[in-house]
Amino acid sequence: MQLFYTPGIDAASSTYYLDEEESKHCVKVLRLQAGDIVQLIDGKGNFYTATINDAHPKRTQLQILTVEADPNKRNHYLHIAVAPTKNIERIEWFLEKATEIGIDEISLIICQRSERKEVRTDRLDKIITSAIKQSLKAWHPKLNEPVALNKFLSGLFDGQRFIAHCEPGDKTDLRDMIKPLGRYLILVGPEGDFSPQEIGDAIKNGFKAITLGNSRLRTETAALEACFEVNFLNRI
């Protein structure tokens, strides 16, 4: 059964129109017709089954048949703030894999040693959307616009806060710090790592210094390792 992302749908709706991009994919690429059954996800935790009423290439009309809440909602909240990599394909890879594994929110942070300071979040968000469709997830992770690290650190977050870095100093293994079934915010720096000043500022703002193992990891690998560890440690 073909799957479409429909963020504007309402659980109380009886009909819904696919946007132009999804309509084109539905009619021109998949060649679906009136009467065909499709599945929808709203990115907010619901699966829908619908039938095509009008296979219009710009505004396909659907009739909603059933709505089901995702029974596999995760028992924790994971927010990773990561510096965009110079090669944008590497951060795209992270977003795809993290979405498949399970993540709730991603922030793009611009640091003192960042080699990339501008990012097209519309393209990155499409990669996340493709990943939730591929992995059959009903929840769409939130992607935030790039922000300077010093501004990000002053924001509010209710939960445990960690910073992963490679500088010398006292650090604790992430697996020994996680409190199960909680909310977590993890900072991962750019290719050149966080500066000592940034690490100090993060610690002053309540972040705990952590290590993700003995290997020196690339930015996107470190972010994905943190994502994997948090999800693994919260399995019950």
Side-chain angles (χ1 to χ4, degrees):
M1 188 182 300
Q2 299 297 335
L3 180 67
F4 297 91
Y5 175 51
T6 54
I9 198 169
D10 190 304
S13 302
S14 59
T15 59
Y16 184 79
Y17 291 89
L18 295 179
D19 63 24
E20 185 170 347
E21 183 175 349
E22 289 282 46
S23 292
K24 180 180 178 181
H25 184 67
C26 174
V27 178
K28 297 293 187 179
V29 179
L30 299 175
R31 299 188 182 279
L32 298 179
Q33 302 175 354
D36 286 340
I37 304 297
V38 296
Q39 191 172 43
L40 317 173
I41 48 176
D42 61 7
K44 303 168 187 173
N46 296 305
F47 289 103
Y48 300 73
T49 301
T51 185
I52 298 176
N53 281 348
D54 179 14
H56 192 285
K58 292 187 176 180
R59 190 171 165 80
T60 296
Q61 184 190 52
L62 306 175
Q63 180 73 36
I64 308 302
L65 302 177
T66 63
V67 184
E68 178 185 358
D70 182 8
N72 299 313
K73 187 178 187 303
R74 294 180 311 115
N75 54 23
H76 58 283
Y77 190 94
L78 174 59
H79 180 180
I80 291 183
V82 58
T85 51
K86 182 178 181 181
N87 180 348
I88 197 62
E89 291 181 358
R90 287 164 51 192
I91 209 70
E92 291 173 354
W93 175 85
F94 161 70
L95 292 173
E96 179 182 75
K97 302 310 175 187
T99 298
E100 292 175 2
I101 291 172
I103 192 169
D104 299 283
E105 187 172 354
I106 305 104
S107 289
L108 302 173
I109 50 175
I110 308 303
C111 306
Q112 292 177 10
R113 296 173 178 170
S114 289
E115 295 187 69
R116 174 178 289 276
K117 299 184 184 296
E118 296 184 1
V119 181
R120 280 187 55 191
T121 53
D122 57 338
R123 171 177 168 77
L124 297 182
D125 205 50
K126 288 181 179 179
I127 290 172
I128 293 174
T129 299
S130 294
I132 66 169
K133 292 165 70 174
Q134 172 66 31
S135 54
L136 299 179
K137 293 189 179 296
W139 297 91
H140 193 294
K142 179 182 179 183
L143 177 65
N144 298 316
E145 292 290 332
V147 62
L149 177 62
N150 58 359
K151 183 177 181 180
F152 182 81
L153 291 176
S154 64
L156 299 176
F157 180 80
D158 180 21
Q160 290 186 280
R161 287 169 282 180
F162 306 106
I163 178 170
H165 68 83
C166 299
E167 290 288 324
D170 292 334
K171 289 175 282 187
T172 305
D173 197 304
L174 176 60
R175 71 191 67 185
D176 296 327
M177 297 288 288
I178 289 291
K179 297 178 182 177
L181 312 183
R183 294 172 60 87
Y184 319 102
L185 170 56
I186 302 175
L187 303 181
V188 177
E191 285 93 336
D193 202 3
F194 293 111
S195 70
Q197 178 185 340
E198 290 173 329
I199 295 170
D201 289 343
I203 291 173
K204 288 178 182 177
N205 279 275
F207 286 79
K208 305 296 184 183
I210 58 167
T211 176
L212 297 171
N214 297 324
S215 300
R216 187 178 181 90
L217 304 175
R218 288 178 177 269
T219 293
E220 73 278 13
T221 310
L224 191 65
E225 171 64 17
C227 181
F228 174 79
E229 284 200 31
V230 169
N231 279 287
F232 179 79
L233 293 169
N234 275 281
R235 288 183 177 181
I236 57 173

